[in-house]
DNA sequence: TTGTTGTTTTAGATGTGTCTAAATTTTTAA
DNA sequence: TTAAAAATTTAGACACATCTAAAACAACAA
């Protein structure tokens, strides 16, 4: 089953949206994340549905079929391996690689991506802590929690992020809140839910509620 | 000046055609190398001409403008750097990389390609012996000759090829006629212009006239 | 100079992915 | 239960790159 550049982007977006929420994904959300209009989304959903890549009934939202999910995972595999390559081999910052990987993820060649995987030493996670799907379509399922889910006194290690915008990643870099850092929850300010965390060297850092939701940790 | 995927392919093809022959490139040749129809070529030529990427007058063929040649050279730079990467880092054969590089050459990012260049150690030639254009748009001009131009008794070193099809490259590989090999011209069979060459270890190899025209050497 | 041949261009159509504006359906609130 | 609001879909159009068939042009030989 061959999917076009655009079709791949739709499938990937729908995969991400169904991961982060309920089963059925709605038209407006898709239009929003793909920077397009709901009418265009409807057109594409009909097309993908005819190709049996997703289940679609008018007004009811969509879910991926197995072939559809498979294509999405292949694209995500490519995206994350290229990100790893760009950071580890070409020394890009973790905030610079997303747009490049959006292009590279559409290069068609199973052989290429498997050799890249091998060249990189079969990494398990990309530079943002996201798991890299294997060639056979399996993907580690995350049991990461956002910092905001920690109770006061609890400790964790930063292992991922939930938002990939350059601005957010640059902010984390500047605060030295990078993957692998151990932190513990100090307190939550009642007024605006600002979170105070402590790093290994006993430094206290205040982060906003929004930021705390987007930093993921293992316990 | 941004050119689309397809526009880039036209500019690259026209660049290659004007290298290998006279100045003006004709419509039918372009259609042939791009695997498309002359009518489509005409449409595109009008478009590229309006963008000032080439000089076009009806029925008179085309030549690239400076901006057009510049885009073509950037694409060729990317193509050849990616080919080098695929062969040197991912261990592809020199006969396997062309189609992949045709995809990779359209990734848009000057930063990416310059970092790749640096990662690869600023190579001067791609795996087929073609010179890699520099970021500033300069390119080494070849003074390679085909084997068929050697006189009997003359010696040369294989430095490039004029044809990139997998079949031809696999044939060379099998005969061990790879870049760097020293050969000398033994004789030309009068009957069908088959060329007999001798390798360093005194092995005699017969190659057809067509093949001899497509293997390039330095003296 | 004229006619033939081969090349090139125009005219009109198709497929993909997008859009706006209007209509329809679902959801929510009264 | 019904009306208003929100979400979704249809209808009709456009841009891009392509195609076929037919017309226009160039080059060459007689």
């Amino acid at each position: 089953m061959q999917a076009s550049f655009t079709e791949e982007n739709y499938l990937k977006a729908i995969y991400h949206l169904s991961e982060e929420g309920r089963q059925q994904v709605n038209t407006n959300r898709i239009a929003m994340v793909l920077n397009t209009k709901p009418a265009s989304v409807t057109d594409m959903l009909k097309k993908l549905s005819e190709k049996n890549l997703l289940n679609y009934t008018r007004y009811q939202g969509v879910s991926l079929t197995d072939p559809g999910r498979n294509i999405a995972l292949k694209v995500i595999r490519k995206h994350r391996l290229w990100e790893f390559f760009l950071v580890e081999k070409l020394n890009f910052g973790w905030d610079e690689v997303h747009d490049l990987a959006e292009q590279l993820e559409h290069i068609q060649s199973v052989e290429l991506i498997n050799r890249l995987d091998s060249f990189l030493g079969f990494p398990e996670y990309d530079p943002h802590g996201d798991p890299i799907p294997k060639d056979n379509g399996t993907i580690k399922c995350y049991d990461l929690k956002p910092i905001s889910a920690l109770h006061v006194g609890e400790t964790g290690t930063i292992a991922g992020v939930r938002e990939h915008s350059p601005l957010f990643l640059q902010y984390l870099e500047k605060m030295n809140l990078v993957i692998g850092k151990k932190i513990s929850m100090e307190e939550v300010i009642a007024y605006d839910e600002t979170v105070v965390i402590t790093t290994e060297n006993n430094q206290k850092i205040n982060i906003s509620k929004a930021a705390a939701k987007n930093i993921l940790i293992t316990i």
Side-chain angles (χ1 to χ4, degrees), chain A:
Chain A
M1 179 57 60
Q2 274 302 60
S4 74
F5 188 99
T6 314
E7 288 169 349
E8 287 189 345
N9 278 335
Y10 272 88
L11 293 171
K12 185 181 58 150
I14 293 165
Y15 178 89
H16 285 312
L17 288 171
S18 41
E19 285 302 277
E20 75 178 31
R22 59 216 147 280
Q23 241 45 23
Q24 294 295 100
V25 177
N26 58 337
T27 306
N28 273 2
R29 285 289 281 141
I30 299 174
M32 182 164 300
V33 303
L34 288 180
N35 246 306
T36 182
K37 294 287 165 342
S40 313
V41 174
T42 299
D43 289 343
M44 184 55 90
L45 295 184
K46 281 195 249 176
K47 197 176 143 196
L48 292 172
S49 171
E50 259 165 37
K51 288 194 176 190
N52 199 30
L53 298 174
L54 45 78
N55 305 113
Y56 169 64
T57 37
R58 282 158 73 235
Y59 296 102
Q60 298 308 127
V62 290
S63 60
L64 294 177
T65 60
D66 284 349
R69 179 177 307 102
N70 224 280
I71 291 177
L73 281 169
K74 280 190 174 15
V75 176
I76 291 167
R77 169 173 165 77
K78 290 190 275 185
H79 184 102
R80 293 181 180 168
L81 281 171
W82 280 117
E83 283 200 341
F84 191 94
F85 169 74
L86 293 170
V87 169
E88 292 298 316
K89 300 292 182 180
L90 302 193
N91 301 114
F92 279 97
W94 71 340
D95 57 304
E96 301 176 305
V97 295
H98 190 267
D99 292 349
L100 277 171
E102 291 281 298
Q103 294 185 63
L104 289 160
E105 74 190 7
H106 300 290
I107 302 291
Q108 299 288 2
S109 165
V110 175
E111 182 68 14
L112 169 60
I113 209 64
N114 288 342
R115 282 184 189 237
L116 184 66
D117 196 8
S118 159
F119 176 64
L120 298 173
F122 304 103
E124 308 231 303
Y125 298 96
D126 81 6
H128 309 106
D130 295 311
I132 299 175
K134 294 291 164 199
D135 186 39
N136 60 22
T138 58
I139 182 170
K140 275 226 178 65
C141 64
Y142 260 129
D143 50 352
L144 303 185
K145 298 199 289 189
I147 286 186
S148 54
L150 282 181
H151 296 116
V152 170
E154 287 182 334
T155 293
T157 306
I158 297 179
V161 293
R162 214 179 227 169
E163 139 109 47
H164 294 71
S165 71
L167 273 181
F168 179 61
L169 297 173
Q170 282 156 21
Y171 165 65
L172 293 187
E173 184 99 31
K174 196 163 115 192
M175 305 304 281
N176 202 19
L177 295 171
V178 294
I179 289 176
K181 278 276 162 196
K182 278 214 180 88
I183 57 107
S184 70
M185 168 64 80
E186 195 71 17
E187 67 171 305
V188 180
I189 311 280
Y191 169 60
D192 59 0
E193 300 180 80
T194 287
V195 169
V196 185
I197 60 178
T198 327
T199 63
E200 283 167 285
N201 47 349
N202 270 329
Q203 196 191 347
K204 280 190 189 178
I205 300 177
N206 284 14
I207 51 185
S208 70
K209 185 186 175 185
K213 277 190 178 166
N214 287 330
I215 306 173
L216 300 172
I217 53 172
T218 50
I219 303 183

